[in-house]
Amino acid sequence: MRVQMLGLCRFSYVGLRGYQKDHASIEERRAFLYDPRRLARRWLWFTTLALPGWLAQTDPDFALVIMTGPDLPEPYLSRLRDLAAGTPQLRLELVPPMERHLEACRAAIAPHVDSGADVVGHFRHDDDDAVALDYVAAARRDFTRVEGLWRSEGCLSLDHSRGLMLRAGAGEAQFVPRIAHNMGVALTIFLRPDQPQTALHFNHTKLPLWMPGVAVTRPLMFIRGVHADSDSGDMGPGVPWQIEKAELDRQLSRRFGLVRADLDRLAHAAA
């Protein structure tokens, strides 16, 4: 069975709806998203936390569509162009502002759906989160274990729910270990390639309304950034788990390819 892994990452996309922070007009949204200081912070989160894992996935057979607007200020638009040009798995889609956010997401994803695939593993990824280096491999492997459930329903969510909440504060990165179901990061929505939806079409907090779901609680699979620029602004519900500091630092390196000192500097800059 051919499983396509296809994700969407919105980088300061100017459009109405689709976010928890509301704005009355496109102009108001643009002014908020394109504020130079905010863009600098978002780029720092993206390149320090989110990007390393995608550049070093153990299974390189995936596509991550980076969705932004054609008027994204420089130097960020050129930087994204260069990233996409140099990395086969990264695809840049410039989508003009649209009032209906889900239509915009579909416009970004549709050109990259492999019609020859048997199933598409859709995922969303925020530019201030991280997935483990084996997320793509794990999602594809674990899907084969529950493929029969997908066949009977035509849709299925696979939730790799053990993660770390990274809070920026006190000049250093503070980590809160959580098992958080359907958080949105490291969450894969398996659909047929002829279905028009993307991962963004399903509210990740209400997935059981639309499809069966399977939670995989080991191993550690995601880091979620929680800071002043976060759209949601809080950690959300979850089950705490424990990890010693020395082991945490090892896991950051082994699972995510990240260095604690870099994350401390990121948290300090974002505080």
Side-chain angles (χ1 to χ4, degrees):
M1 171 175 278
R2 164 66 177 151
V3 178
Q4 181 190 19
M5 290 293 292
L6 178 61
L8 180 65
C9 177
R10 301 167 296 174
F11 186 84
S12 294
Y13 171 69
V14 176
L16 294 181
R17 308 182 187 181
Y19 301 94
Q20 295 192 37
K21 296 179 181 177
D22 290 327
H23 294 95
S25 67
I26 292 290
E27 292 71 23
E28 186 178 327
R29 175 84 80 187
R30 180 184 285 109
F32 170 76
L33 293 177
Y34 288 176
D35 175 81
R37 291 173 297 180
R38 182 188 180 279
L39 275 176
R41 292 191 299 268
R42 298 305 295 200
W43 185 258
L44 187 61
W45 279 95
F46 178 59
T47 54
T48 304
L49 184 62
L51 192 58
W54 294 117
L55 297 181
Q57 284 292 303
T58 59
D59 181 349
D61 184 13
F62 71 94
L64 178 63
V65 178
I66 302 175
M67 170 185 173
T68 192
D71 61 344
L72 179 71
E74 295 291 355
Y76 304 105
L77 183 55
S78 291
R79 290 175 180 175
L80 289 177
R81 289 186 191 277
D82 290 343
L83 271 175
T87 310
Q89 293 83 4
L90 301 184
R91 318 285 175 80
L92 180 62
E93 284 291 338
L94 306 181
V95 181
M98 297 176 64
E99 182 175 349
R100 296 189 177 276
H101 190 73
L102 294 181
E103 291 181 6
C105 292
R106 182 60 189 172
I109 284 290
H112 304 280
V113 174
D114 181 0
S115 61
D118 297 294
V119 56
V120 180
H122 290 274
F123 57 92
R124 60 189 293 170
H125 190 80
D126 288 347
D127 57 17
D128 54 357
D129 293 338
V131 293
L133 303 178
D134 61 347
Y135 160 67
V136 171
R140 184 172 275 120
R141 178 198 66 221
D142 292 338
F143 173 75
T144 65
R145 299 172 175 174
V146 293
E147 180 184 326
L149 185 57
W150 172 79
R151 287 186 179 277
S152 67
E153 298 286 343
C155 53
L156 174 72
S157 66
L158 185 62
D159 175 29
H160 288 89
S161 52
R162 184 175 294 259
L164 298 167
M165 306 299 175
L166 190 169
R167 295 192 298 195
E172 63 178 5
Q174 300 174 343
F175 293 93
V176 180
R178 286 284 187 92
I179 296 174
H181 296 298
N182 294 339
M183 179 58 63
V185 57
L187 173 66
T188 314
I189 308 296
F190 292 93
L191 303 172
R192 294 189 304 269
D194 60 350
Q195 291 181 263
Q197 295 94 343
T198 72
L200 273 296
H201 281 77
F202 302 94
N203 183 329
H204 58 88
T205 67
K206 301 178 181 179
L207 275 175
L209 291 174
W210 299 291
M211 66 187 72
V214 176
V216 181
T217 58
R218 296 179 187 274
L220 175 59
M221 195 62 76
F222 72 84
I223 301 174
R224 181 170 180 261
V226 181
H227 51 94
D229 287 324
S230 298
D231 187 43
S232 60
D234 59 55
M235 291 190 297
V239 179
W241 59 280
Q242 301 299 319
I243 186 170
E244 298 296 328
K245 183 181 184 301
E247 179 59 21
L248 172 60
D249 290 348
R250 284 192 290 269
Q251 291 291 307
L252 289 174
S253 175
R254 294 174 183 175
R255 298 291 299 148
F256 300 97
L258 298 172
V259 178
R260 179 64 173 267
D262 293 338
L263 300 179
D264 284 340
R265 284 191 289 270
L266 172 63
H268 179 74

